[in-house]
Amino acid sequence: MASISSPGIGSGLDVNTIVSQMMAVEKRPLQLLQTSASSLDAKISSYGQVKSALSALYDAANGLMGSSVWQSKQFATTDKDAVTGSVSTAAVAGNFSLQVTALASSQSLASGSFASGAVMGSAGTLSLQTGRWDAVGTGFTAAGAKVDISIAATDTLADVAGKINGANAGVSAVVVKGTNGDQLLVRGTKTGQENGFSMSVLDDGTPPAPPAPGSALNKLVYDQASVSAAQAGIMSRTVTASDATFTINGIEATSATNTVADVVPGVTLNLLKTTTTPVEVTVSADKKAVRDKVEAFQQAYNKINTLLADLTRYDQSSKTAQPLQGDSTATGLQNALRGLLGRPDATGTYFTNVGLELQRDGSLSINAGKLDAALNDLPKLEQTLTASTGNAATDGLVTRMRDFVFGANGVEGNITGRSKALEAAKKRNQSEQETMSLRLEQRQKNMLKQYQALDAKLGSMGSLNSFMTSQISQWNKS
């Protein structure tokens, strides 16, 4: 049968308090390990922030390396309502005048009016074919494959429109409810004179016989035969398929669409309306794109500079050190980054010469006047910032920074090495804590056992003392 233990009951000795106080002393080394673990966690987290900020600086520096940012151009026009556009790196800086005499259009047809909900009355086949109408508008040269659409006698005008839209024939249809009834409107999906279309109607069974006289389906025809014969009651053309016509510096040009690409190499023009006077178009180097990249680099550098300053400082007001205060790797990185900002390139040009000025706190500020002046000579600025020679002494200013950050943050870099060392130290600390916790647990058990035995011994001695005292008292009475 298990015994019930109540330390201190035998002699009045406070065994639990004694053991607890003695264990508090014994646990002091474990508490020091736990404090050290918290410090390691803070440092590991801090280096995680440093690695992230260095990666952002690398990306910002690398963003200036691509030739596309230096070769990018911008498009400007004196009349954005008439023409807009874009340019590729293939465009040559310069300007030209543009005059739009006609916009490209797609062919549109309209039927006569139908009673609302009226059916075709006879079955047949509606044939759609893309091609080109001649200048007179009566001769048609087919280009695309003919698309046949089966029409039922019970189909309404809306049913016909739905079947046209589902046929993928290069046209779209819609039914408009006008004041005189329903009308079918059919429009080509592409602009340009080569993208006109014809509509023919045939009876099911014995082509090329037309549908029965009076059939509603017979009114949906618009082909060379019907147009040449001036057949009454057929579809009418409301818009002719035509090309855009325009001049560039007086030279005539055409386009099947209103988006004109590479008539001027590397330039895409979006023609929006005709013009009565020439519109001036300018293609120039995109200084803003370069400025944005320079500003992104400055901001990324300032982020890592501020982060390192915060993590390595000592707070006088709270008398507390930040996680990396006194950490040689962190302070070494801080000094190295600032040192790179103070070194000139092979021509003796410094960051400050191009508008990136080093401040007392190690940050970079932008001198707008100097940067604007540097942006006026993009080839020189590109060489100053991004030259890549394979020799750090002759590399560009930003190239050096990028390569240094890549090395420091790489697999074999100082920052990665320091992070790994801290992780290893944390692992050792955890192992030591586990070992010491087991030892302390056993130590507490042993102490409780010893003091319980002492308590029991003292209790028995107290009982014997009471018995002897009682006996002596009895003897004295005798």
Side-chain angles (χ1 to χ4, degrees), residues 447-462:
M447 289 179 69
L448 277 171
K449 187 176 181 180
Q450 290 172 354
Y451 277 95
Q452 285 170 359
L454 175 62
D455 178 50
K457 189 69 174 175
L458 290 174
S460 64
M461 290 177 66

Side-chain angles (χ1 to χ4, degrees), residues 10-11 457-475:
S11 64
K457 189 69 174 175
L458 290 174
S460 64
M461 290 177 66
S463 298
L464 177 60
N465 181 59
S466 296
F467 173 74
M468 293 298 294
T469 301
S470 176
Q471 289 299 313
I472 292 171
S473 178
Q474 290 294 327
W475 293 340

Side-chain angles (χ1 to χ4, degrees), residues 3-15:
S3 61
I4 300 176
S5 173
S6 182
I9 247 183
S11 64
L13 188 68
D14 191 350
V15 173

Side-chain angles (χ1 to χ4, degrees), residues 103-400:
L103 294 176
S105 59
S106 56
Q107 179 181 322
S108 293
L109 302 178
S111 72
S113 298
F114 289 72
S116 180
V119 299
M120 295 298 100
S122 63
T125 300
L126 182 63
S127 296
L128 294 167
Q129 190 163 35
T130 56
R132 175 175 181 169
W133 290 93
D134 62 19
V136 180
T138 56
F140 182 77
T141 303
K146 185 170 65 172
V147 177
D148 292 335
I149 302 172
S150 295
I151 305 297
T154 55
D155 282 344
T156 64
L157 209 57
D159 295 328
V160 173
K163 289 182 176 182
I164 291 174
N165 290 332
N168 193 27
V171 299
S172 63
V174 65
V175 175
V176 176
K177 295 184 177 298
T179 55
N180 297 320
D182 295 350
Q183 285 183 273
L184 179 69
L185 305 184
V186 184
R187 183 181 183 186
T189 55
K190 295 181 179 180
T191 59
Q193 62 183 10
E194 299 294 336
N195 294 306
F197 62 93
S198 68
M199 296 176 62
S200 301
V201 176
L202 301 174
D203 256 342
D204 281 350
T206 56
S215 166
L217 185 58
N218 196 40
K219 298 179 181 179
L220 302 183
V221 64
Y222 189 89
D223 57 19
Q224 183 169 330
S226 61
V227 173
S228 298
Q231 184 177 328
I234 62 170
M235 301 278 282
S236 60
R237 184 170 59 188
T238 56
V239 179
T240 301
S242 62
D243 291 344
T245 58
F246 52 95
T247 61
I248 293 178
N249 287 347
I251 300 174
E252 295 182 354
T254 62
S255 171
T257 70
N258 292 315
T259 299
V260 183
D262 289 332
V263 170
V264 177
V267 179
T268 298
L269 301 169
N270 302 313
L271 309 181
L272 305 178
K273 69 176 185 179
T274 58
T275 60
T276 55
T277 57
V279 175
E280 293 301 314
V281 175
T282 302
V283 177
S284 60
D286 192 355
K287 297 179 184 178
K288 184 179 183 304
V290 177
R291 176 186 283 276
D292 288 346
K293 294 293 185 181
V294 171
E295 290 178 351
F297 171 77
Q298 176 232 5
Q299 291 163 9
Y301 176 83
N302 284 346
K303 181 178 179 181
I304 183 64
N305 178 69
T306 300
L307 179 64
L308 287 171
D310 289 343
L311 292 174
T312 57
R313 68 185 173 86
Y314 180 81
D315 191 337
Q316 291 288 353
S317 59
S318 62
K319 305 297 182 184
T320 57
Q322 296 306 306
L324 301 185
Q325 198 269 331
D327 186 290
S328 60
T329 302
T331 54
L333 174 64
Q334 190 176 38
N335 292 333
L337 289 172
R338 293 181 181 181
L340 284 171
L341 293 181
R343 288 174 53 194
D345 70 357
T347 66
T349 304
Y350 292 81
F351 270 109
T352 186
N353 296 132
V354 296
L356 290 169
E357 298 181 341
L358 182 62
Q359 304 301 299
R360 292 176 63 88
D361 62 357
S363 65
L364 278 176
S365 68
I366 289 182
N367 182 312
K370 288 183 179 180
L371 181 56
D372 286 341
L375 288 170
N376 287 331
D377 189 349
L378 287 181
K380 181 180 179 181
L381 181 60
E382 180 182 9
Q383 181 70 17
T384 298
L385 297 182
T386 71
S388 183
T389 65
N391 183 344
T394 55
D395 277 341
L397 300 176
V398 173
T399 304
R400 290 176 187 168

